[in-house]
Amino acid sequence: MEKEIITVNVLVDARIFRQFAMFDARRVQRLWRLPRIFALIMSAFALICFFMRDRAEQAFVLGCVLLGVGLLLPLVHYGFFRYSIKKQIEMMKLHTPHEVYTLSFSRADGVTAEIKQIDKPERFAWDKLFGVYRVPGCTYIYVDPRKAFLLPDGPETGGCWPLFEEMLPAEKLRTY
């Protein structure tokens, strides 16, 4: 049982990559926090201006400008983010699914990734993994906060999640 190895050839397409990029930005990197805080601050200043419109000249106009900037800039930020995902998909030619890497899981050796462009496989011990996130249709294996491997659901990945539950502490496992 100790030497049992689960090997999965991972196929990635545009939908899987887009779903991962949105998840990573929202849940792991928390990239939406600063634009949201900016929008709240600008909206608060706009509200102050709206309340001051009877006492200060042009307060209403300033409030409209602050509210517009506070709402528009986060939307532009989100648009550029979506555009960058589209460009990455084109650059990696993910419009048609293709095999990107092979992942192997064993109790003794941890996670091994054989990336197609790199000759030497990368090995990651179970205790060194940052976290494993399960979402509908895919599992994301983060080896560190900035590097993850995607494991789309399929018939060959059925035994992976029970192995993750056995080998990793509960705080490193998340299901969404």
Side-chain angles (χ1 to χ4, degrees):
M1 194 71 164
E2 189 72 19
K3 286 292 183 184
E4 181 183 337
I5 298 174
I6 299 171
T7 302
V8 181
N9 293 323
V10 177
L11 295 170
V12 177
D13 63 4
R15 182 189 61 79
I16 291 171
F17 181 77
R18 190 177 302 109
Q19 179 183 359
F20 165 73
M22 296 300 287
F23 174 86
D24 183 60
R26 187 176 59 250
R27 298 281 184 175
V28 180
Q29 306 301 326
R30 300 190 187 273
L31 296 178
W32 306 122
R33 187 176 39 200
L34 289 178
R36 190 177 296 146
I37 291 171
F38 176 77
L40 288 173
I41 290 171
M42 296 300 279
S43 298
F45 286 142
L47 278 175
I48 292 170
C49 288
F50 292 145
F51 286 129
M52 299 287 293
R53 71 176 176 231
D54 293 335
R55 293 185 216 156
E57 195 174 308
Q58 302 295 320
F60 182 77
V61 174
L62 179 59
C64 289
V65 169
L66 291 173
L67 187 62
V69 168
L71 297 177
L72 188 62
L73 282 181
L75 289 175
V76 169
H77 179 268
Y78 179 73
F80 276 119
F81 176 72
R82 293 291 299 227
Y83 181 74
S84 73
I85 292 172
K86 181 181 175 187
K87 285 298 181 190
Q88 288 176 359
I89 288 170
E90 289 173 5
M91 184 182 70
M92 293 187 285
K93 299 178 178 90
L94 293 177
H95 291 296
T96 57
H98 63 275
E99 189 176 322
V100 181
Y101 43 77
T102 301
L103 295 176
S104 299
F105 308 97
S106 74
R107 286 173 178 78
D109 297 331
V111 178
T112 303
E114 295 179 35
I115 302 170
K116 298 301 173 199
Q117 293 83 9
I118 301 172
D119 293 331
K120 185 179 173 189
E122 295 182 71
R123 298 193 193 305
F124 306 97
W126 290 112
D127 62 338
K128 301 295 183 203
L129 293 181
F130 178 74
V132 178
Y133 301 85
R134 183 165 61 172
V135 299
C138 203
T139 301
Y140 308 134
I141 304 161
Y142 279 83
V143 294
D144 67 48
R146 298 278 183 191
K147 184 175 183 176
F149 292 102
L150 284 58
L151 184 63
D153 289 348
E156 67 277 358
T157 63
C160 293
W161 190 257
L163 181 63
F164 297 148
E165 289 176 329
E166 178 185 332
M167 300 305 294
L168 293 170
E171 63 267 7
K172 289 190 176 187
L173 297 172
R174 298 270 190 261
T175 300
Y176 292 96

